[in-house]
Amino acid sequence: MDTVGGRLRTIRKELKLTQEALAQRLGIGKSALSMIETGRAALSE
Protein backbone atom coordinates (compact mmCIF):
# COMPACT_ATOMS: atom_id res chain seq x y z
CA MET A 1 0.00 0.00 0.00
CA ASP A 2 1.33 3.40 -0.98
CA THR A 3 1.66 6.06 1.67
CA VAL A 4 1.18 9.81 1.39
CA GLY A 5 4.91 10.25 1.95
CA GLY A 6 5.73 7.73 -0.75
CA ARG A 7 3.42 9.44 -3.23
CA LEU A 8 4.91 12.81 -2.31
CA ARG A 9 8.42 11.48 -2.94
CA THR A 10 7.40 10.00 -6.31
CA ILE A 11 5.85 13.28 -7.44
CA ARG A 12 8.88 15.26 -6.22
CA LYS A 13 11.20 13.03 -8.22
CA GLU A 14 8.98 13.23 -11.33
CA LEU A 15 9.20 17.01 -11.10
CA LYS A 16 12.98 16.69 -10.67
CA LEU A 17 12.94 18.69 -7.44
CA THR A 18 15.27 18.22 -4.51
CA GLN A 19 13.85 17.89 -1.02
CA GLU A 20 15.22 21.35 -0.31
CA ALA A 21 13.48 22.90 -3.33
CA LEU A 22 10.11 21.27 -2.61
CA ALA A 23 10.31 22.09 1.08
CA GLN A 24 10.95 25.72 0.24
CA ARG A 25 7.92 25.78 -2.08
CA LEU A 26 5.77 24.23 0.65
CA GLY A 27 7.07 26.56 3.33
CA ILE A 28 8.48 23.78 5.52
CA GLY A 29 11.96 22.65 6.46
CA LYS A 30 13.92 20.07 4.50
CA SER A 31 14.09 17.80 7.54
CA ALA A 32 10.29 17.99 7.95
CA LEU A 33 9.81 16.94 4.31
CA SER A 34 12.26 14.08 4.77
CA MET A 35 10.36 12.88 7.81
CA ILE A 36 7.06 13.03 5.92
CA GLU A 37 8.49 11.09 2.97
CA THR A 38 9.89 8.36 5.23
CA GLY A 39 6.78 8.10 7.39
CA ARG A 40 8.40 9.39 10.58
CA ALA A 41 6.04 12.39 10.65
CA ALA A 42 2.39 12.68 9.68
CA LEU A 43 0.75 15.48 7.77
CA SER A 44 -1.69 17.66 9.65
CA GLU A 45 -4.56 19.76 8.41
Side-chain angles (χ1 to χ4, degrees):
M1 186 159 117
D2 204 14
T3 64
V4 172
R7 290 192 302 263
L8 183 60
R9 183 179 188 141
T10 299
I11 292 167
R12 175 179 62 79
K13 288 184 176 243
E14 286 175 357
L15 295 173
K16 298 181 181 172
L17 293 172
T18 63
Q19 283 185 335
E20 187 172 355
L22 181 57
Q24 185 175 11
R25 288 183 181 198
L26 296 174
I28 62 174
K30 178 184 167 192
S31 60
L33 178 58
S34 175
M35 290 176 70
I36 292 167
E37 286 186 354
T38 59
R40 292 181 290 170
L43 295 173
S44 62
E45 292 184 27

